[in-house]
Coordinates of all heavy atoms in Angstrom, one line a residue:
M1403 N 78.7 106.2 103.2 CA 80.1 106.3 102.9 C 80.6 107.6 102.2 O 80.0 107.9 101.3 CB 80.6 105.1 102.1 CG 82.0 104.9 102.0 SD 82.9 104.7 103.6 CE 84.3 104.0 103.2
N1404 N 81.5 108.3 102.9 CA 81.8 109.6 102.3 C 83.0 109.3 101.2 O 83.8 108.3 101.2 CB 82.4 110.5 103.4 CG 81.3 110.9 104.3 OD1 80.1 110.6 103.9 ND2 81.6 111.5 105.2
R1405 N 83.1 110.3 100.3 CA 84.1 110.2 99.2 C 85.1 111.4 99.4 O 84.7 112.5 99.7 CB 83.3 110.5 97.9 CG 84.1 110.1 96.7 CD 83.2 110.2 95.6 NE 84.0 110.5 94.4 CZ 84.8 109.6 93.7 NH1 84.8 108.4 94.0 NH2 85.6 110.0 92.8
Y1406 N 86.4 111.1 99.3 CA 87.4 111.9 99.4 C 88.3 112.2 98.1 O 88.8 111.1 97.5 CB 88.3 111.4 100.6 CG 87.7 111.3 101.9 CD1 87.0 110.2 102.2 CD2 87.6 112.4 102.6 CE1 86.3 110.1 103.5 CE2 86.8 112.4 103.8 CZ 86.2 111.3 104.3 OH 85.5 111.1 105.4
K1407 N 88.4 113.4 97.8 CA 89.3 113.8 96.6 C 90.4 114.5 97.0 O 90.2 115.6 97.8 CB 88.2 114.5 95.7 CG 88.8 114.7 94.3 CD 87.7 115.3 93.5 CE 87.6 116.9 93.7 NZ 86.6 117.5 92.8
L1408 N 91.6 114.2 96.6 CA 92.8 115.0 96.8 C 93.2 115.6 95.5 O 93.3 115.0 94.6 CB 94.0 114.2 97.2 CG 94.2 113.9 98.7 CD1 95.4 113.1 99.0 CD2 94.2 115.2 99.5
E1409 N 93.4 117.0 95.5 CA 93.9 117.6 94.4 C 95.2 118.4 94.5 O 95.3 119.1 95.5 CB 92.7 118.6 94.0 CG 92.9 119.3 92.6 CD 91.7 120.0 92.2 OE1 90.7 120.2 93.0 OE2 91.8 120.6 91.1
R1410 N 96.1 118.2 93.6 CA 97.3 118.8 93.6 C 97.0 120.3 93.2 O 96.4 120.6 92.2 CB 98.2 118.2 92.5 CG 99.2 117.3 93.1 CD 100.1 117.0 92.0 NE 101.4 117.5 92.2 CZ 102.6 117.1 91.8 NH1 102.7 115.9 91.3 NH2 103.7 117.7 92.1
T1411 N 97.7 121.2 93.9 CA 97.5 122.7 93.6 C 98.6 123.2 92.9 O 98.6 124.3 92.2 CB 97.3 123.5 94.7 OG1 98.5 123.4 95.6 CG2 96.2 123.1 95.6
N1412 N 99.8 122.5 92.9 CA 101.1 123.0 92.2 C 101.5 124.4 92.7 O 102.2 125.1 92.2 CB 101.0 123.1 90.7 CG 101.1 121.7 90.1 OD1 101.5 120.8 90.5 ND2 100.1 121.6 88.9
R1413 N 101.1 124.6 94.0 CA 101.4 125.9 94.8 C 101.9 125.5 96.1 O 101.5 124.6 96.6 CB 100.3 126.8 94.8 CG 99.9 127.4 93.4 CD 99.0 128.5 93.5 NE 98.2 128.9 92.2 CZ 98.8 129.8 91.4 NH1 100.1 130.3 91.7 NH2 98.2 130.1 90.4
S1414 N 102.8 126.5 96.6 CA 103.1 126.2 98.0 C 102.4 127.1 99.0 O 101.6 127.9 98.7 CB 104.6 126.6 98.1 OG 104.8 128.2 98.0
S1415 N 102.9 127.0 100.3 CA 102.2 127.9 101.3 C 102.4 129.3 101.1 O 101.7 130.2 101.7 CB 102.7 127.4 102.7 OG 102.1 126.1 103.0
A1416 N 103.3 129.6 100.5 CA 103.6 131.1 100.2 C 102.5 131.7 99.6 O 102.2 132.9 99.7 CB 105.0 131.2 99.4
Y1417 N 101.7 130.9 98.7 CA 100.7 131.4 97.9 C 99.3 131.1 98.8 O 98.4 131.9 98.7 CB 100.7 130.8 96.5 CG 99.6 131.4 95.7 CD1 99.9 132.6 94.9 CD2 98.5 130.7 95.5 CE1 98.9 133.1 94.1 CE2 97.4 131.3 94.6 CZ 97.6 132.4 93.9 OH 96.7 133.1 93.1
L1418 N 99.2 129.8 99.3 CA 97.9 129.3 99.8 C 97.8 129.4 101.2 O 96.8 129.0 101.8 CB 97.6 127.9 99.2 CG 97.3 127.8 97.7 CD1 97.5 126.5 97.3 CD2 96.0 128.4 97.4
G1419 N 99.0 129.7 101.9 CA 98.9 129.7 103.5 C 99.4 128.3 103.9 O 99.4 127.3 103.2
N1420 N 99.6 128.2 105.3 CA 100.2 127.1 105.8 C 99.1 125.9 105.9 O 98.0 126.1 105.7 CB 100.7 127.4 107.2 CG 102.0 128.2 107.1 OD1 102.6 128.3 106.1 ND2 102.5 128.4 108.4
C1421 N 99.6 124.7 106.1 CA 98.8 123.6 106.2 C 97.7 123.7 107.2 O 97.9 124.2 108.3 CB 99.6 122.4 106.4 SG 98.9 120.8 107.0
E1422 N 96.5 123.5 106.9 CA 95.4 123.7 107.9 C 95.2 122.6 108.8 O 94.4 122.7 109.8 CB 94.0 123.8 107.1 CG 93.9 125.0 106.2 CD 92.7 125.2 105.5 OE1 92.3 124.3 104.8 OE2 91.9 126.2 105.7
V1423 N 96.1 121.6 108.9 CA 96.1 120.4 109.7 C 97.2 120.7 110.7 O 97.0 120.7 112.0 CB 96.2 119.0 109.0 CG1 96.2 117.9 110.0 CG2 95.1 118.9 107.9
C1424 N 98.3 120.9 110.4 CA 99.5 121.0 111.2 C 99.9 122.3 111.3 O 100.8 122.7 112.3 CB 100.7 120.0 110.9 SG 101.5 120.6 109.4
G1425 N 99.6 123.3 110.5 CA 99.9 124.7 110.7 C 101.5 125.1 110.2 O 101.8 126.2 110.3
K1426 N 102.0 124.0 109.5 CA 103.3 124.3 109.0 C 103.3 124.7 107.4 O 102.4 124.4 106.8 CB 104.2 123.1 109.4 CG 104.6 123.0 110.7 CD 105.4 121.8 111.0 CE 105.6 121.4 112.5 NZ 105.7 120.1 112.8
F1427 N 104.5 125.0 107.0 CA 104.6 125.4 105.6 C 104.6 124.2 104.8 O 105.1 123.2 105.1 CB 106.0 126.1 105.4 CG 106.3 126.6 104.0 CD1 106.0 127.9 103.7 CD2 106.9 125.8 103.1 CE1 106.2 128.5 102.3 CE2 107.2 126.3 101.8 CZ 106.8 127.6 101.5
C1428 N 104.0 124.3 103.7 CA 104.0 123.1 102.6 C 104.8 123.7 101.4 O 104.3 124.7 100.9 CB 102.6 122.6 102.2 SG 101.3 122.8 103.4
S1429 N 105.6 123.0 100.8 CA 106.2 123.2 99.5 C 105.2 122.9 98.3 O 105.3 123.4 97.2 CB 107.5 122.6 99.3 OG 107.4 121.2 99.7
E1430 N 104.3 121.9 98.6 CA 103.3 121.4 97.7 C 102.0 121.4 98.5 O 101.9 120.3 99.2 CB 103.8 120.0 97.1 CG 102.7 119.4 96.3 CD 102.6 119.9 94.9 OE1 103.5 119.9 94.2 OE2 101.5 120.4 94.6
V1431 N 101.1 122.2 98.1 CA 99.8 122.1 98.9 C 98.8 121.4 98.2 O 98.7 121.4 97.0 CB 99.3 123.6 99.1 CG1 97.9 123.6 99.7 CG2 100.1 124.4 99.9
Y1432 N 98.1 120.5 99.0 CA 97.1 119.7 98.3 C 95.6 120.1 98.8 O 95.6 120.7 100.0 CB 97.2 118.2 98.8 CG 98.2 117.4 97.9 CD1 99.5 117.7 98.1 CD2 97.9 116.5 96.8 CE1 100.5 117.0 97.3 CE2 98.7 115.9 96.1 CZ 100.1 116.1 96.2 OH 101.0 115.5 95.6
H1433 N 94.6 119.9 98.1 CA 93.3 120.4 98.5 C 92.5 119.2 98.7 O 92.3 118.4 97.7 CB 92.8 121.3 97.4 CG 91.4 121.8 97.7 ND1 90.5 122.2 96.7 CD2 90.8 121.9 98.8 CE1 89.4 122.6 97.2 NE2 89.5 122.4 98.6
L1434 N 91.9 119.0 99.7 CA 91.1 117.9 100.1 C 89.6 118.2 100.3 O 89.2 119.3 100.8 CB 91.4 117.3 101.5 CG 90.4 116.3 102.2 CD1 90.4 115.1 101.3 CD2 90.9 115.9 103.5
T1435 N 88.8 117.5 99.4 CA 87.3 117.9 99.5 C 86.5 116.5 99.8 O 87.0 115.5 99.4 CB 86.7 118.5 98.2 OG1 87.2 117.8 97.1 CG2 87.0 119.8 98.1
E1436 N 85.6 116.6 100.8 CA 84.9 115.5 101.1 C 83.5 115.6 100.6 O 83.0 116.8 100.6 CB 84.8 115.4 102.7 CG 84.0 114.3 103.2 CD 83.9 114.5 104.7 OE1 83.7 115.5 105.3 OE2 84.1 113.5 105.5
S1437 N 82.9 114.5 100.1 CA 81.4 114.6 99.8 C 80.7 113.5 100.3 O 81.2 112.4 100.7 CB 81.3 114.7 98.2 OG 82.0 113.7 97.6
R1438 N 79.3 113.7 100.5 CA 78.7 112.6 101.3 C 77.5 112.2 100.4 O 76.8 113.1 99.7 CB 78.0 113.4 102.4 CG 77.3 112.6 103.4 CD 77.2 113.4 104.7 NE 76.6 114.7 104.6 CZ 75.3 115.0 104.5 NH1 74.5 114.1 104.4 NH2 75.0 116.3 104.3
K1439 N 77.2 110.9 100.3 CA 76.0 110.4 99.6 C 74.7 110.7 100.2 O 74.7 110.6 101.6 CB 76.2 109.0 99.4 CG 75.4 108.4 98.3 CD 75.6 106.8 98.2 CE 76.5 106.6 97.0 NZ 76.7 105.1 96.8
Y1440 N 73.7 111.0 99.6 CA 72.4 111.3 100.2 C 71.4 110.9 99.2 O 71.7 110.7 97.9 CB 72.3 112.7 100.6 CG 72.1 113.8 99.6 CD1 70.8 114.2 99.4 CD2 73.0 114.1 98.6 CE1 70.4 115.2 98.5 CE2 72.8 115.1 97.7 CZ 71.5 115.5 97.5 OH 71.3 116.4 96.5
I1441 N 70.2 110.6 99.6 CA 69.1 110.4 98.7 C 68.3 111.5 98.6 O 67.7 112.2 99.5 CB 68.1 109.2 99.4 CG1 69.0 108.1 99.9 CG2 67.1 108.8 98.4 CD1 69.7 107.2 98.8
R1442 N 68.0 112.0 97.3 CA 67.2 113.1 96.9 C 65.8 112.8 97.4 O 65.2 111.9 97.0 CB 67.2 113.4 95.5 CG 68.6 114.0 95.1 CD 68.7 114.2 93.6 NE 67.5 115.1 93.2 CZ 67.5 115.9 92.2 NH1 68.5 116.0 91.6 NH2 66.5 116.8 91.8
V1443 N 65.2 113.8 98.1 CA 63.9 113.6 98.5 C 62.9 113.8 97.4 O 61.8 113.0 97.4 CB 63.4 114.6 99.7 CG1 63.7 114.2 101.1 CG2 63.9 116.0 99.4
D1444 N 63.2 114.4 96.4 CA 62.2 114.6 95.3 C 62.1 113.4 94.3 O 61.0 113.0 93.9 CB 62.4 115.9 94.6 CG 63.9 116.1 94.2 OD1 64.7 115.4 94.6 OD2 64.1 116.9 93.3
T1445 N 63.3 112.8 94.0 CA 63.3 111.7 93.1 C 63.7 110.5 93.6 O 63.5 109.3 93.0 CB 64.4 112.1 92.0 OG1 65.7 112.2 92.7 CG2 64.2 113.3 91.2
G1446 N 64.3 110.4 94.9 CA 64.6 109.1 95.5 C 65.9 108.6 95.0 O 66.4 107.5 95.3
E1447 N 66.6 109.5 94.2 CA 67.9 109.0 93.5 C 69.1 109.4 94.5 O 68.9 110.2 95.3 CB 68.2 109.8 92.3 CG 67.3 109.3 91.1 CD 67.5 110.2 89.9 OE1 68.3 111.0 90.0 OE2 66.8 109.9 88.9
E1448 N 70.1 108.6 94.3 CA 71.3 108.9 95.1 C 72.1 110.0 94.5 O 72.2 110.0 93.3 CB 72.3 107.6 95.1 CG 71.8 106.5 96.0 CD 72.7 105.3 96.2 OE1 73.7 105.3 95.4 OE2 72.5 104.4 97.1
S1449 N 72.5 110.8 95.4 CA 73.3 112.0 94.9 C 74.5 112.3 95.8 O 74.6 111.8 96.9 CB 72.3 113.1 94.6 OG 73.1 114.1 93.9
W1450 N 75.3 113.2 95.5 CA 76.5 113.6 96.4 C 76.3 115.0 96.7 O 75.9 116.0 95.9 CB 77.7 113.4 95.7 CG 78.1 112.1 95.4 CD1 77.6 111.3 94.3 CD2 78.7 111.0 96.2 NE1 78.1 110.0 94.4 CE2 78.7 109.9 95.6 CE3 79.3 111.2 97.5 CZ2 79.3 108.7 96.1 CZ3 79.8 109.9 98.0 CH2 79.9 108.8 97.4
T1451 N 76.7 115.4 98.0 CA 76.6 116.8 98.4 C 77.8 117.2 99.3 O 78.5 116.3 99.8 CB 75.4 117.0 99.3 OG1 75.4 118.4 99.8 CG2 75.4 116.1 100.6
Y1452 N 78.3 118.5 99.3 CA 79.4 118.9 100.0 C 79.0 119.5 101.4 O 79.7 120.0 102.1 CB 80.2 120.0 99.2 CG 80.9 119.4 98.0 CD1 80.4 119.6 96.8 CD2 82.0 118.6 98.2 CE1 81.1 119.2 95.6 CE2 82.8 118.1 97.1 CZ 82.3 118.4 95.9 OH 82.9 117.9 94.8
A1453 N 77.6 119.6 101.5 CA 77.0 120.2 102.7 C 77.5 119.4 104.0 O 77.5 118.2 104.0 CB 75.5 120.0 102.7
G1454 N 78.1 120.1 104.9 CA 78.5 119.6 106.2 C 79.8 118.8 106.0 O 80.1 118.1 107.0
C1455 N 80.5 119.0 104.9 CA 81.7 118.2 104.7 C 82.9 119.0 104.9 O 82.9 120.2 104.8 CB 81.6 117.6 103.3 SG 80.5 116.3 103.0
I1456 N 84.1 118.4 105.0 CA 85.3 119.1 105.3 C 85.9 119.5 103.9 O 85.7 118.9 102.8 CB 86.4 118.3 106.0 CG1 86.6 117.0 105.5 CG2 85.9 118.2 107.5 CD1 87.8 116.2 106.0
D1457 N 86.7 120.5 104.0 CA 87.3 121.2 102.8 C 88.6 121.8 103.4 O 88.6 122.7 104.1 CB 86.4 122.2 102.3 CG 86.8 122.8 100.9 OD1 88.1 123.0 100.9 OD2 86.2 123.0 99.9
L1458 N 89.7 121.1 103.0 CA 91.1 121.5 103.7 C 92.1 121.6 102.7 O 92.2 120.9 101.7 CB 91.5 120.5 104.8 CG 90.6 120.3 106.1 CD1 91.1 119.1 106.8 CD2 90.8 121.6 106.9
Y1459 N 93.1 122.5 103.0 CA 94.4 122.7 102.2 C 95.5 122.3 103.3 O 95.6 122.6 104.3 CB 94.6 124.1 101.8 CG 93.6 124.6 100.7 CD1 92.3 125.1 100.9 CD2 94.0 124.4 99.4 CE1 91.6 125.5 99.9 CE2 93.1 124.8 98.4 CZ 92.0 125.3 98.6 OH 91.1 125.7 97.6
G1460 N 96.5 121.5 102.6 CA 97.7 121.1 103.4 C 98.6 120.1 102.8 O 98.3 119.9 101.6
H1461 N 99.4 119.5 103.6 CA 100.4 118.5 103.2 C 99.6 117.3 102.7 O 98.6 116.9 103.4 CB 101.3 118.1 104.3 CG 102.1 119.0 104.8 ND1 102.0 119.9 106.0 CD2 103.2 119.6 104.3 CE1 103.0 120.6 106.1 NE2 103.7 120.6 105.2
E1462 N 100.0 116.6 101.8 CA 99.4 115.4 101.4 C 99.3 114.4 102.5 O 98.2 113.8 102.6 CB 100.2 114.7 100.2 CG 99.6 113.5 99.6 CD 100.4 112.8 98.4 OE1 101.7 113.3 98.4 OE2 100.0 112.0 97.9
E1463 N 100.3 114.2 103.1 CA 100.4 113.3 104.3 C 99.4 113.6 105.4 O 98.6 112.8 106.0 CB 101.7 113.1 104.9 CG 102.7 112.4 104.0 CD 102.1 111.0 103.4 OE1 101.5 110.3 104.1 OE2 102.2 110.9 102.1
C1464 N 99.3 114.9 105.8 CA 98.3 115.5 106.9 C 96.9 115.1 106.3 O 96.1 114.7 107.2 CB 98.6 116.9 107.0 SG 100.0 117.2 108.0
L1465 N 96.7 115.4 105.0 CA 95.2 115.2 104.7 C 94.8 113.8 104.6 O 93.7 113.4 104.9 CB 95.2 115.8 103.2 CG 95.4 117.4 103.1 CD1 95.3 117.9 101.7 CD2 94.4 118.2 104.0
K1466 N 95.8 112.9 104.2 CA 95.7 111.4 104.2 C 95.2 111.0 105.7 O 94.5 110.1 105.8 CB 96.9 110.8 103.7 CG 96.8 110.8 102.0 CD 97.9 110.0 101.5 CE 97.9 110.0 100.0 NZ 99.1 109.4 99.5
K1467 N 96.0 111.5 106.6 CA 95.8 111.2 108.0 C 94.4 111.6 108.4 O 93.5 110.8 109.1 CB 96.7 111.9 108.8 CG 97.2 111.2 110.1 CD 98.5 111.8 110.6 CE 98.4 113.1 111.3 NZ 99.7 113.7 111.7
V1468 N 93.8 112.8 107.9 CA 92.5 113.3 108.2 C 91.5 112.4 107.7 O 90.5 112.0 108.4 CB 92.3 114.7 107.8 CG1 90.7 115.0 107.8 CG2 93.0 115.8 108.6
I1469 N 91.8 111.9 106.4 CA 90.8 111.0 105.8 C 90.7 109.6 106.6 O 89.6 109.1 106.8 CB 91.2 110.6 104.4 CG1 91.2 111.9 103.6 CG2 90.4 109.6 103.8 CD1 91.8 112.0 102.3
K1470 N 91.8 109.2 107.0 CA 91.9 108.0 107.7 C 91.2 108.1 109.2 O 90.4 107.1 109.5 CB 93.4 107.6 108.0 CG 93.6 106.1 108.0 CD 95.0 105.9 108.1 CE 95.4 104.3 108.4 NZ 96.8 104.1 108.7
E1471 N 91.3 109.2 109.8 CA 90.7 109.4 111.0 C 89.2 109.4 110.8 O 88.4 109.1 111.8 CB 91.0 110.7 111.6 CG 92.4 110.7 112.4 CD 93.0 112.0 112.6 OE1 92.3 113.1 112.4 OE2 94.3 112.0 113.1
R1472 N 88.7 109.9 109.7 CA 87.4 109.9 109.4 C 86.7 108.5 108.8 O 85.6 108.5 108.4 CB 87.1 111.1 108.4 CG 87.3 112.4 109.1 CD 87.1 113.5 108.2 NE 85.8 113.9 107.8 CZ 85.0 114.8 108.6 NH1 85.5 115.2 109.5 NH2 83.7 115.1 108.2
G1473 N 87.7 107.7 108.7 CA 87.2 106.3 108.4 C 87.1 106.0 106.9 O 86.5 105.1 106.4
G1474 N 87.7 107.1 106.1 CA 87.6 106.9 104.7 C 88.9 106.5 104.0 O 89.9 106.1 104.7
K1475 N 88.9 106.6 102.6 CA 90.1 106.4 102.0 C 90.2 107.3 100.7 O 89.2 108.1 100.4 CB 90.2 105.1 101.3 CG 88.9 104.6 100.4 CD 89.1 103.3 99.9 CE 87.9 103.0 99.0 NZ 87.7 103.9 97.7
V1476 N 91.3 107.6 100.2 CA 91.5 108.4 99.1 C 90.8 107.9 97.8 O 91.2 106.7 97.4 CB 93.0 108.9 98.7 CG1 93.0 109.8 97.5 CG2 93.7 109.4 100.0
D1477 N 89.8 108.4 97.3 CA 88.9 107.9 96.3 C 89.5 108.4 94.9 O 89.3 107.6 94.0 CB 87.5 108.2 96.3 CG 86.8 107.6 97.5 OD1 86.8 106.3 97.5 OD2 86.5 108.3 98.5
E1478 N 90.1 109.6 95.0 CA 90.5 110.2 93.6 C 91.7 111.0 94.0 O 91.6 111.9 94.9 CB 89.4 110.9 93.1 CG 89.6 111.3 91.6 CD 88.3 112.2 91.1 OE1 87.3 112.1 91.7 OE2 88.5 112.6 90.0
V1479 N 92.7 111.1 93.1 CA 93.8 112.1 93.2 C 93.8 112.8 91.9 O 93.9 112.2 90.8 CB 95.1 111.4 93.5 CG1 96.2 112.5 93.6 CG2 95.2 110.7 94.8
I1480 N 93.8 114.1 91.9 CA 93.6 114.9 90.6 C 95.1 115.6 90.5 O 95.5 116.3 91.4 CB 92.6 115.9 90.7 CG1 91.3 115.1 90.8 CG2 92.6 116.8 89.5 CD1 90.1 116.0 91.0
Q1481 N 95.7 115.2 89.5 CA 97.0 115.9 89.2 C 96.7 117.1 88.1 O 96.2 116.8 87.1 CB 98.1 115.0 88.5 CG 98.2 113.6 89.3 CD 99.1 113.7 90.5 OE1 99.8 114.7 90.7 NE2 99.1 112.7 91.3
K1482 N 97.2 118.2 88.5 CA 97.2 119.3 87.6 C 98.4 119.5 86.9 O 99.3 119.6 87.3 CB 96.7 120.6 88.4 CG 95.3 121.0 88.4 CD 95.2 122.3 89.0 CE 93.8 122.5 89.6 NZ 93.7 123.5 90.5
N1483 N 98.3 119.6 85.6 CA 99.6 119.8 84.8 C 99.5 121.3 84.3 O 98.4 121.8 83.7 CB 99.6 119.0 83.6 CG 99.8 117.4 84.0 OD1 100.6 117.2 84.8 ND2 99.0 116.6 83.6
M1484 N 100.5 122.0 84.6 CA 100.5 123.5 84.1 C 101.7 123.6 83.2 O 102.7 122.9 83.4 CB 100.6 124.3 85.3 CG 99.2 124.3 86.1 SD 99.4 125.5 87.5 CE 97.8 125.1 88.3
Ligands
ZN2242 ZN1 100.5 119.5 107.5

């Protein structure tokens, strides 16, 4: 099962570029990171990796759609206060 994190950037597309999902301007850009659980070969422990995972900037709704398409859910939303 993959883990999905949405982070508020408090910045618009003017600074970060258009939504990577729909290609349109966003007044509030979110950052989506996916991580994947794996078993460490050396210790046999469970750990998380970003290898081969998606990393996207865009609208909150577009990113939520991507997560849904990948069969996941939003596990964590990070609000940045500036
Ligand atoms: Zn979008």
